[in-house]
Amino acid sequence: MTLRQHLFRCCCSSVAVVLAFITLPTAPCQSPSMVSHFAPPPQLDIQKQSSSELEGDLLAARQRYLDAIEAYRKASPDSATVINKIGVAYHHMFDITDARKYYQRAIELNPHYAEAWNNLGATYHAEKKYKEAQRCYRKAIKLNPNSPLFYSNLGTAYFFQGNSKKGAEAYRQAFALDPEVFERSSAARIEESSSTKDLAMVNYVLAKTYAKAGMNERALSYLRKALGEGFNDRKKLMTDSELASLRETPEFIQLIARERNP
């Protein structure tokens, strides 16, 4: 594997932290889970990176975040991309205060930096300041309306605030941009700090989303999770229009029968 290929794989891996998902820079690369499914991530242009920034990328890929920060600090102090990377490194170490400081600095350097706005939202999300998180996610969406991950983060913030209607709408928009977004993001990350009630509703909405798209296997998987987490609204199960085709399948009938007779 060449150095270029190794860096591309490392830099383009998505970063999942405390419920919301932070994103790596669009320059020189962007996470595949961050873009719409029809836009492949660009190749790295190593010549446009300083040796210090390249060193920081390699150290971060090896989870040596303090060393990565030191390397990034030797790179351009006026680069929003580099400053955002420092924030990501702090975020990996769950140092939310310093992560936020660097995301804010990246935004000062480039107010149109959608990924930095998303990452800033993730710091508020980690502190359960959902309104502030939503404000940042909406700003990121305004700057880049084609990112399914931004909509996914916004939806999760709405769910945790108790607004399932807006949460479901944001999830539908994320799904419309990329049907694989929730699989890539990994719902297991949501489980870390959510109540069972919140998680049951999230998984029920995902079940309806996949069922409406005709993806019954995934719909059933999320429905099983929702039921396992305590979702027990039988009226919704039997009347929600999104589940109409799913209700005709033997798997759904068996699932409901097991719930009746555990």
Side-chain angles (χ1 to χ4, degrees), residues 26-85:
T26 53
C29 73
Q30 185 175 31
S31 163
S33 64
M34 284 303 306
V35 297
S36 56
H37 61 281
F38 51 81
Q43 294 289 328
L44 277 176
D45 189 346
I46 294 178
Q47 286 73 28
K48 292 184 178 180
Q49 287 185 283
S50 69
S51 58
S52 295
E53 185 178 353
L54 284 168
E55 180 185 3
D57 289 347
L58 286 170
L59 290 167
R62 295 168 182 163
Q63 299 183 3
R64 293 172 55 185
Y65 300 119
L66 286 174
D67 291 334
I69 289 168
E70 289 304 310
Y72 288 140
R73 283 177 174 159
K74 296 174 185 177
S76 173
D78 296 323
S79 167
T81 298
V82 172
I83 297 301
N84 181 63
K85 286 180 179 181

Short mmCIF file of all heavy atoms in Angstrom, two decimals, residues 26-85:
data_model
loop_
_atom_site.label_atom_id
_atom_site.label_comp_id
_atom_site.label_asym_id
_atom_site.label_seq_id
_atom_site.Cartn_x
_atom_site.Cartn_y
_atom_site.Cartn_z
N THR A 26 -13.39 18.54 4.67
CA THR A 26 -13.65 18.26 3.26
C THR A 26 -12.39 18.50 2.45
O THR A 26 -12.29 18.06 1.32
CB THR A 26 -14.75 19.18 2.72
OG1 THR A 26 -14.41 20.53 3.01
CG2 THR A 26 -16.07 18.85 3.37
N ALA A 27 -11.44 19.19 3.02
CA ALA A 27 -10.16 19.36 2.36
C ALA A 27 -9.09 18.94 3.36
O ALA A 27 -9.04 19.44 4.47
CB ALA A 27 -9.94 20.82 1.98
N PRO A 28 -8.25 17.97 2.97
CA PRO A 28 -8.13 17.41 1.64
C PRO A 28 -9.04 16.23 1.35
O PRO A 28 -8.99 15.70 0.25
CB PRO A 28 -6.68 16.93 1.62
CG PRO A 28 -6.46 16.50 3.05
CD PRO A 28 -7.21 17.50 3.88
N CYS A 29 -9.84 15.75 2.33
CA CYS A 29 -10.71 14.63 2.02
C CYS A 29 -11.96 14.71 2.86
O CYS A 29 -12.05 15.49 3.78
CB CYS A 29 -9.99 13.30 2.26
SG CYS A 29 -9.76 12.90 4.00
N GLN A 30 -12.95 13.88 2.51
CA GLN A 30 -14.22 13.89 3.21
C GLN A 30 -14.65 12.46 3.47
O GLN A 30 -14.43 11.58 2.66
CB GLN A 30 -15.27 14.61 2.37
CG GLN A 30 -16.61 14.78 3.08
CD GLN A 30 -17.56 15.60 2.25
OE1 GLN A 30 -17.52 15.58 1.03
NE2 GLN A 30 -18.42 16.32 2.90
N SER A 31 -15.25 12.22 4.62
CA SER A 31 -15.70 10.88 4.96
C SER A 31 -16.75 10.41 3.98
O SER A 31 -17.66 11.15 3.66
CB SER A 31 -16.28 10.89 6.38
OG SER A 31 -17.06 9.75 6.59
N PRO A 32 -16.67 9.18 3.49
CA PRO A 32 -17.69 8.68 2.57
C PRO A 32 -19.08 8.73 3.18
O PRO A 32 -20.06 8.85 2.48
CB PRO A 32 -17.24 7.23 2.32
CG PRO A 32 -15.78 7.23 2.59
CD PRO A 32 -15.58 8.23 3.68
N SER A 33 -19.21 8.61 4.51
CA SER A 33 -20.53 8.66 5.13
C SER A 33 -21.04 10.07 5.27
O SER A 33 -22.16 10.30 5.70
CB SER A 33 -20.48 8.00 6.52
OG SER A 33 -19.63 8.73 7.38
N MET A 34 -20.23 11.05 4.88
CA MET A 34 -20.62 12.44 5.00
C MET A 34 -21.23 12.98 3.72
O MET A 34 -21.84 14.03 3.73
CB MET A 34 -19.39 13.30 5.33
CG MET A 34 -18.96 13.19 6.76
SD MET A 34 -20.29 13.62 7.83
CE MET A 34 -20.69 15.21 7.17
N VAL A 35 -21.01 12.34 2.60
CA VAL A 35 -21.47 12.89 1.33
C VAL A 35 -22.62 12.07 0.80
O VAL A 35 -22.87 10.96 1.23
CB VAL A 35 -20.32 12.90 0.30
CG1 VAL A 35 -19.21 13.80 0.77
CG2 VAL A 35 -19.79 11.50 0.05
N SER A 36 -23.36 12.65 -0.15
CA SER A 36 -24.42 11.89 -0.79
C SER A 36 -23.82 10.72 -1.55
O SER A 36 -22.68 10.76 -1.96
CB SER A 36 -25.22 12.79 -1.73
OG SER A 36 -24.36 13.38 -2.68
N HIS A 37 -24.61 9.67 -1.73
CA HIS A 37 -24.06 8.43 -2.25
C HIS A 37 -23.56 8.55 -3.69
O HIS A 37 -22.85 7.69 -4.15
CB HIS A 37 -25.10 7.32 -2.17
CG HIS A 37 -26.33 7.59 -2.97
ND1 HIS A 37 -27.32 8.42 -2.55
CD2 HIS A 37 -26.72 7.13 -4.18
CE1 HIS A 37 -28.28 8.47 -3.46
NE2 HIS A 37 -27.94 7.70 -4.45
N PHE A 38 -23.91 9.63 -4.39
CA PHE A 38 -23.46 9.77 -5.77
C PHE A 38 -22.19 10.59 -5.90
O PHE A 38 -21.73 10.83 -6.98
CB PHE A 38 -24.56 10.41 -6.63
CG PHE A 38 -25.11 11.70 -6.07
CD1 PHE A 38 -24.45 12.89 -6.23
CD2 PHE A 38 -26.30 11.68 -5.35
CE1 PHE A 38 -24.97 14.06 -5.71
CE2 PHE A 38 -26.81 12.86 -4.83
CZ PHE A 38 -26.15 14.04 -5.00
N ALA A 39 -21.63 11.05 -4.78
CA ALA A 39 -20.42 11.88 -4.83
C ALA A 39 -19.28 11.19 -4.11
O ALA A 39 -19.21 11.21 -2.89
CB ALA A 39 -20.68 13.24 -4.19
N PRO A 40 -18.36 10.51 -4.82
CA PRO A 40 -17.25 9.83 -4.17
C PRO A 40 -16.28 10.84 -3.56
O PRO A 40 -16.16 11.96 -4.04
CB PRO A 40 -16.58 9.06 -5.31
CG PRO A 40 -16.94 9.84 -6.54
CD PRO A 40 -18.32 10.39 -6.28
N PRO A 41 -15.59 10.45 -2.46
CA PRO A 41 -14.64 11.38 -1.83
C PRO A 41 -13.46 11.66 -2.74
O PRO A 41 -13.01 10.77 -3.47
CB PRO A 41 -14.18 10.62 -0.57
CG PRO A 41 -14.42 9.19 -0.90
CD PRO A 41 -15.62 9.16 -1.79
N PRO A 42 -12.96 12.88 -2.73
CA PRO A 42 -11.82 13.22 -3.59
C PRO A 42 -10.53 12.58 -3.12
O PRO A 42 -10.39 12.24 -1.95
CB PRO A 42 -11.74 14.75 -3.45
CG PRO A 42 -12.33 15.04 -2.11
CD PRO A 42 -13.41 14.01 -1.91
N GLN A 43 -9.59 12.41 -4.02
CA GLN A 43 -8.29 11.87 -3.66
C GLN A 43 -7.48 12.92 -2.90
O GLN A 43 -7.65 14.12 -3.09
CB GLN A 43 -7.52 11.46 -4.93
CG GLN A 43 -8.14 10.31 -5.68
CD GLN A 43 -7.98 9.01 -4.93
OE1 GLN A 43 -6.99 8.82 -4.23
NE2 GLN A 43 -8.94 8.12 -5.05
N LEU A 44 -6.63 12.43 -2.01
CA LEU A 44 -5.73 13.34 -1.30
C LEU A 44 -4.75 14.00 -2.26
O LEU A 44 -4.25 13.37 -3.18
CB LEU A 44 -4.92 12.56 -0.27
CG LEU A 44 -5.56 12.27 1.09
CD1 LEU A 44 -4.62 11.42 1.89
CD2 LEU A 44 -5.86 13.56 1.81
N ASP A 45 -4.49 15.26 -2.02
CA ASP A 45 -3.41 15.95 -2.73
C ASP A 45 -2.33 16.24 -1.70
O ASP A 45 -2.34 17.26 -1.03
CB ASP A 45 -3.93 17.26 -3.35
CG ASP A 45 -2.89 17.89 -4.28
OD1 ASP A 45 -1.72 17.46 -4.21
OD2 ASP A 45 -3.26 18.78 -5.05
N ILE A 46 -1.45 15.27 -1.55
CA ILE A 46 -0.43 15.36 -0.51
C ILE A 46 0.44 16.59 -0.69
O ILE A 46 0.92 17.19 0.28
CB ILE A 46 0.43 14.07 -0.49
CG1 ILE A 46 -0.46 12.89 -0.05
CG2 ILE A 46 1.62 14.21 0.43
CD1 ILE A 46 0.25 11.57 -0.06
N GLN A 47 0.64 17.03 -1.94
CA GLN A 47 1.51 18.18 -2.17
C GLN A 47 0.96 19.45 -1.53
O GLN A 47 1.71 20.38 -1.24
CB GLN A 47 1.66 18.40 -3.69
CG GLN A 47 2.57 17.39 -4.38
CD GLN A 47 1.92 16.04 -4.52
OE1 GLN A 47 0.69 15.95 -4.59
NE2 GLN A 47 2.71 14.98 -4.53
N LYS A 48 -0.36 19.51 -1.30
CA LYS A 48 -0.96 20.71 -0.71
C LYS A 48 -0.96 20.67 0.82
O LYS A 48 -1.43 21.60 1.46
CB LYS A 48 -2.39 20.88 -1.24
CG LYS A 48 -2.46 21.22 -2.72
CD LYS A 48 -3.89 21.48 -3.17
CE LYS A 48 -3.93 21.86 -4.64
NZ LYS A 48 -5.31 22.13 -5.10
N GLN A 49 -0.48 19.58 1.40
CA GLN A 49 -0.40 19.48 2.84
C GLN A 49 1.04 19.68 3.30
O GLN A 49 1.98 19.24 2.64
CB GLN A 49 -0.88 18.11 3.33
CG GLN A 49 -2.39 17.91 3.23
CD GLN A 49 -2.78 16.58 3.83
OE1 GLN A 49 -2.58 15.54 3.22
NE2 GLN A 49 -3.32 16.62 5.02
N SER A 50 1.18 20.33 4.44
CA SER A 50 2.51 20.47 5.01
C SER A 50 2.92 19.14 5.62
O SER A 50 2.09 18.28 5.91
CB SER A 50 2.51 21.55 6.09
OG SER A 50 1.77 21.11 7.22
N SER A 51 4.23 18.98 5.83
CA SER A 51 4.71 17.73 6.43
C SER A 51 4.16 17.57 7.84
O SER A 51 3.87 16.45 8.28
CB SER A 51 6.24 17.72 6.45
OG SER A 51 6.74 18.84 7.19
N SER A 52 3.97 18.68 8.56
CA SER A 52 3.44 18.61 9.92
C SER A 52 1.99 18.13 9.91
O SER A 52 1.57 17.34 10.76
CB SER A 52 3.53 19.98 10.60
OG SER A 52 4.87 20.37 10.78
N GLU A 53 1.20 18.61 8.95
CA GLU A 53 -0.20 18.18 8.87
C GLU A 53 -0.28 16.71 8.50
O GLU A 53 -1.10 15.96 9.05
CB GLU A 53 -0.95 19.02 7.84
CG GLU A 53 -2.45 18.72 7.80
CD GLU A 53 -3.20 19.59 6.80
OE1 GLU A 53 -2.59 20.53 6.23
OE2 GLU A 53 -4.39 19.32 6.58
N LEU A 54 0.55 16.27 7.57
CA LEU A 54 0.58 14.86 7.20
C LEU A 54 0.96 13.99 8.40
O LEU A 54 0.38 12.93 8.63
CB LEU A 54 1.57 14.63 6.06
CG LEU A 54 1.11 15.07 4.67
CD1 LEU A 54 2.29 15.05 3.71
CD2 LEU A 54 0.00 14.16 4.17
N GLU A 55 1.94 14.46 9.16
CA GLU A 55 2.37 13.73 10.35
C GLU A 55 1.20 13.64 11.34
O GLU A 55 0.94 12.59 11.95
CB GLU A 55 3.56 14.42 11.00
CG GLU A 55 4.07 13.71 12.26
CD GLU A 55 5.18 14.49 12.96
OE1 GLU A 55 5.52 15.59 12.50
OE2 GLU A 55 5.69 13.97 13.98
N GLY A 56 0.48 14.76 11.51
CA GLY A 56 -0.66 14.77 12.41
C GLY A 56 -1.73 13.79 11.98
O GLY A 56 -2.33 13.09 12.81
N ASP A 57 -2.01 13.70 10.67
CA ASP A 57 -3.00 12.76 10.15
C ASP A 57 -2.63 11.32 10.48
O ASP A 57 -3.47 10.51 10.89
CB ASP A 57 -3.14 12.91 8.64
CG ASP A 57 -3.82 14.21 8.23
OD1 ASP A 57 -4.41 14.88 9.11
OD2 ASP A 57 -3.76 14.56 7.03
N LEU A 58 -1.34 10.99 10.30
CA LEU A 58 -0.88 9.63 10.59
C LEU A 58 -0.98 9.32 12.08
O LEU A 58 -1.40 8.22 12.48
CB LEU A 58 0.54 9.44 10.10
CG LEU A 58 0.72 9.32 8.58
CD1 LEU A 58 2.19 9.38 8.20
CD2 LEU A 58 0.11 8.02 8.09
N LEU A 59 -0.60 10.28 12.91
CA LEU A 59 -0.66 10.07 14.36
C LEU A 59 -2.10 9.93 14.83
O LEU A 59 -2.41 9.09 15.68
CB LEU A 59 0.02 11.23 15.08
CG LEU A 59 1.55 11.29 14.93
CD1 LEU A 59 2.08 12.65 15.40
CD2 LEU A 59 2.20 10.16 15.74
N ALA A 60 -2.99 10.74 14.26
CA ALA A 60 -4.41 10.65 14.63
C ALA A 60 -4.98 9.29 14.21
O ALA A 60 -5.79 8.70 14.94
CB ALA A 60 -5.19 11.79 13.99
N ALA A 61 -4.58 8.81 13.03
CA ALA A 61 -5.05 7.50 12.57
C ALA A 61 -4.59 6.39 13.50
O ALA A 61 -5.26 5.36 13.62
CB ALA A 61 -4.55 7.24 11.15
N ARG A 62 -3.47 6.61 14.18
CA ARG A 62 -2.97 5.62 15.14
C ARG A 62 -3.48 5.89 16.56
O ARG A 62 -3.02 5.28 17.51
CB ARG A 62 -1.43 5.64 15.13
CG ARG A 62 -0.84 5.19 13.79
CD ARG A 62 0.64 5.50 13.71
NE ARG A 62 1.19 5.12 12.41
CZ ARG A 62 2.36 5.56 11.94
NH1 ARG A 62 3.09 6.40 12.68
NH2 ARG A 62 2.79 5.18 10.77
N GLN A 63 -4.40 6.83 16.68
CA GLN A 63 -5.03 7.21 17.95
C GLN A 63 -4.04 7.82 18.94
O GLN A 63 -4.26 7.80 20.15
CB GLN A 63 -5.73 6.00 18.58
CG GLN A 63 -6.84 5.43 17.70
CD GLN A 63 -7.58 4.28 18.34
OE1 GLN A 63 -7.32 3.91 19.47
NE2 GLN A 63 -8.50 3.70 17.61
N ARG A 64 -2.99 8.41 18.41
CA ARG A 64 -2.03 9.14 19.24
C ARG A 64 -2.41 10.63 19.17
O ARG A 64 -1.75 11.44 18.54
CB ARG A 64 -0.60 8.88 18.76
CG ARG A 64 -0.14 7.44 18.96
CD ARG A 64 1.19 7.16 18.29
NE ARG A 64 2.24 8.09 18.73
CZ ARG A 64 3.48 8.11 18.21
NH1 ARG A 64 3.80 7.25 17.26
NH2 ARG A 64 4.36 8.98 18.65
N TYR A 65 -3.49 10.96 19.84
CA TYR A 65 -4.11 12.26 19.62
C TYR A 65 -3.29 13.43 20.18
O TYR A 65 -3.23 14.49 19.56
CB TYR A 65 -5.52 12.26 20.21
CG TYR A 65 -6.40 11.21 19.57
CD1 TYR A 65 -6.95 10.18 20.32
CD2 TYR A 65 -6.64 11.23 18.20
CE1 TYR A 65 -7.73 9.20 19.74
CE2 TYR A 65 -7.43 10.25 17.60
CZ TYR A 65 -7.97 9.24 18.38
OH TYR A 65 -8.74 8.27 17.79
N LEU A 66 -2.66 13.25 21.33
CA LEU A 66 -1.84 14.34 21.87
C LEU A 66 -0.66 14.64 20.94
O LEU A 66 -0.33 15.81 20.69
CB LEU A 66 -1.34 13.98 23.27
CG LEU A 66 -2.39 14.05 24.38
CD1 LEU A 66 -1.79 13.53 25.69
CD2 LEU A 66 -2.90 15.48 24.57
N ASP A 67 -0.04 13.60 20.42
CA ASP A 67 1.07 13.79 19.48
C ASP A 67 0.55 14.42 18.19
O ASP A 67 1.23 15.27 17.58
CB ASP A 67 1.74 12.46 19.17
CG ASP A 67 2.50 11.90 20.37
OD1 ASP A 67 2.92 12.70 21.23
OD2 ASP A 67 2.67 10.67 20.43
N ALA A 68 -0.64 14.02 17.77
CA ALA A 68 -1.23 14.59 16.56
C ALA A 68 -1.47 16.08 16.73
O ALA A 68 -1.20 16.88 15.83
CB ALA A 68 -2.53 13.88 16.23
N ILE A 69 -1.95 16.46 17.90
CA ILE A 69 -2.21 17.89 18.18
C ILE A 69 -0.92 18.69 18.08
O ILE A 69 -0.89 19.78 17.50
CB ILE A 69 -2.88 18.05 19.56
CG1 ILE A 69 -4.32 17.53 19.51
CG2 ILE A 69 -2.85 19.51 20.01
CD1 ILE A 69 -4.97 17.37 20.87
N GLU A 70 0.13 18.15 18.64
CA GLU A 70 1.42 18.85 18.58
C GLU A 70 1.88 19.01 17.14
O GLU A 70 2.42 20.06 16.75
CB GLU A 70 2.47 18.10 19.41
CG GLU A 70 2.24 18.19 20.92
CD GLU A 70 2.16 19.62 21.40
OE1 GLU A 70 3.06 20.42 21.06
OE2 GLU A 70 1.18 19.97 22.10
N ALA A 71 1.68 17.99 16.34
CA ALA A 71 2.08 18.07 14.93
C ALA A 71 1.23 19.10 14.20
O ALA A 71 1.75 19.92 13.43
CB ALA A 71 1.94 16.70 14.28
N TYR A 72 -0.07 19.10 14.43
CA TYR A 72 -0.96 20.06 13.76
C TYR A 72 -0.60 21.50 14.14
O TYR A 72 -0.69 22.42 13.32
CB TYR A 72 -2.41 19.79 14.13
CG TYR A 72 -3.01 18.54 13.51
CD1 TYR A 72 -3.85 17.72 14.26
CD2 TYR A 72 -2.74 18.20 12.20
CE1 TYR A 72 -4.41 16.58 13.70
CE2 TYR A 72 -3.30 17.06 11.63
CZ TYR A 72 -4.14 16.25 12.40
OH TYR A 72 -4.69 15.12 11.84
N ARG A 73 -0.18 21.69 15.38
CA ARG A 73 0.16 23.04 15.82
C ARG A 73 1.39 23.59 15.11
O ARG A 73 1.61 24.80 15.09
CB ARG A 73 0.38 23.05 17.34
CG ARG A 73 -0.94 23.03 18.12
CD ARG A 73 -0.72 22.97 19.60
NE ARG A 73 -1.99 23.11 20.32
CZ ARG A 73 -2.21 22.71 21.56
NH1 ARG A 73 -1.22 22.13 22.24
NH2 ARG A 73 -3.37 22.87 22.13
N LYS A 74 2.19 22.70 14.54
CA LYS A 74 3.36 23.15 13.78
C LYS A 74 2.99 23.49 12.34
O LYS A 74 3.80 24.04 11.61
CB LYS A 74 4.43 22.05 13.78
CG LYS A 74 4.99 21.75 15.17
CD LYS A 74 5.95 20.57 15.13
CE LYS A 74 6.41 20.18 16.53
NZ LYS A 74 7.29 18.97 16.51
N ALA A 75 1.77 23.11 11.95
CA ALA A 75 1.29 23.43 10.61
C ALA A 75 0.72 24.84 10.60
O ALA A 75 0.88 25.59 11.55
CB ALA A 75 0.25 22.40 10.17
N SER A 76 0.06 25.21 9.52
CA SER A 76 -0.44 26.58 9.37
C SER A 76 -1.44 26.95 10.46
O SER A 76 -2.49 26.30 10.61
CB SER A 76 -1.11 26.73 8.01
OG SER A 76 -1.73 27.99 7.91
N PRO A 77 -1.17 28.01 11.24
CA PRO A 77 -2.10 28.41 12.31
C PRO A 77 -3.34 29.11 11.77
O PRO A 77 -4.29 29.34 12.52
CB PRO A 77 -1.24 29.38 13.14
CG PRO A 77 -0.28 29.96 12.16
CD PRO A 77 0.04 28.86 11.20
N ASP A 78 -3.35 29.45 10.50
CA ASP A 78 -4.48 30.15 9.91
C ASP A 78 -5.31 29.24 8.99
O ASP A 78 -6.13 29.72 8.22
CB ASP A 78 -4.00 31.37 9.11
CG ASP A 78 -3.33 32.40 10.01
OD1 ASP A 78 -3.81 32.58 11.14
OD2 ASP A 78 -2.33 32.99 9.58
N SER A 79 -5.08 27.94 9.08
CA SER A 79 -5.82 26.99 8.26
C SER A 79 -7.02 26.46 9.04
O SER A 79 -6.86 25.79 10.07
CB SER A 79 -4.93 25.82 7.85
OG SER A 79 -5.70 24.77 7.31
N ALA A 80 -8.23 26.74 8.57
CA ALA A 80 -9.43 26.24 9.23
C ALA A 80 -9.44 24.71 9.25
O ALA A 80 -9.90 24.09 10.20
CB ALA A 80 -10.68 26.78 8.53
N THR A 81 -8.90 24.12 8.19
CA THR A 81 -8.84 22.66 8.11
C THR A 81 -7.99 22.08 9.23
O THR A 81 -8.39 21.14 9.92
CB THR A 81 -8.26 22.22 6.75
OG1 THR A 81 -9.12 22.67 5.71
CG2 THR A 81 -8.11 20.71 6.68
N VAL A 82 -6.81 22.66 9.44
CA VAL A 82 -5.91 22.17 10.49
C VAL A 82 -6.51 22.41 11.87
O VAL A 82 -6.47 21.54 12.74
CB VAL A 82 -4.53 22.85 10.36
CG1 VAL A 82 -3.66 22.50 11.56
CG2 VAL A 82 -3.85 22.43 9.07
N ILE A 83 -7.08 23.58 12.08
CA ILE A 83 -7.68 23.91 13.37
C ILE A 83 -8.83 22.95 13.68
O ILE A 83 -9.00 22.49 14.82
CB ILE A 83 -8.17 25.37 13.39
CG1 ILE A 83 -6.98 26.33 13.21
CG2 ILE A 83 -8.91 25.68 14.68
CD1 ILE A 83 -5.90 26.20 14.26
N ASN A 84 -9.63 22.63 12.66
CA ASN A 84 -10.72 21.66 12.86
C ASN A 84 -10.17 20.29 13.24
O ASN A 84 -10.74 19.59 14.08
CB ASN A 84 -11.55 21.56 11.59
CG ASN A 84 -12.72 20.61 11.72
OD1 ASN A 84 -13.62 20.82 12.53
ND2 ASN A 84 -12.71 19.55 10.93
N LYS A 85 -9.06 19.90 12.63
CA LYS A 85 -8.44 18.61 12.95
C LYS A 85 -7.99 18.57 14.42
O LYS A 85 -8.08 17.52 15.07
CB LYS A 85 -7.26 18.34 12.03
CG LYS A 85 -7.67 17.97 10.61
CD LYS A 85 -6.44 17.70 9.74
CE LYS A 85 -6.83 17.31 8.33
NZ LYS A 85 -5.65 17.02 7.48
#
